[in-house]
Amino acid sequence: MRITSAIVTGTAIVALLTACGSGDDSDAPSPAVRPPMKVAALGPFTGECGSVTDDEVRDLGQLPQISRAFKNSVSCNWQSAGTTSPSVTFASYRGSPIERERAWVTAQGRNPERIEIAGHPGFQDATATGDICDLAVQLGDDFFEWSTSTGIFGQPGGDPCVKNRKLAELTVQRLK
């Protein structure tokens, strides 16, 4: 009885293996071959918080008083007096295409303007009301962004895009 079940099992295995053989079916579609993923080259280091100090953010952002609301390895945010007050944010994006950010801004109904800072291309854009401005600068496969908001009640002291440009110029001057 054991020999019979071993023969039946062996015959079944052989039948399965020959049915799954690697015959040359020229009609079968060839498997899709993916191109190798691009490895992003690291650009220059922007430094912690864009290599600017709290005092420089206060002065250039024309914020009467600020406190750094948060800081991590890729971004910093300064608030004037709370979440609805004027604020300035820096963010660094390693290996991320700036065009994705530009597409997001465009999808929000905004029209980003091409800019250049010390030979580095980028874009800036303000909301229709002028209360928020984003300015992004390309650094090889990386980019960084400064964003300034006038807050819910507005902020005296000028165009947030002009403030971002001054901060971005400092960041580019201090690249490591």
Side-chain angles (χ1 to χ4, degrees), residues 6-21:
I7 291 172
V8 170
T9 303
T11 306
I13 291 174
V14 169
L16 284 172
L17 290 175
T18 56
C20 297

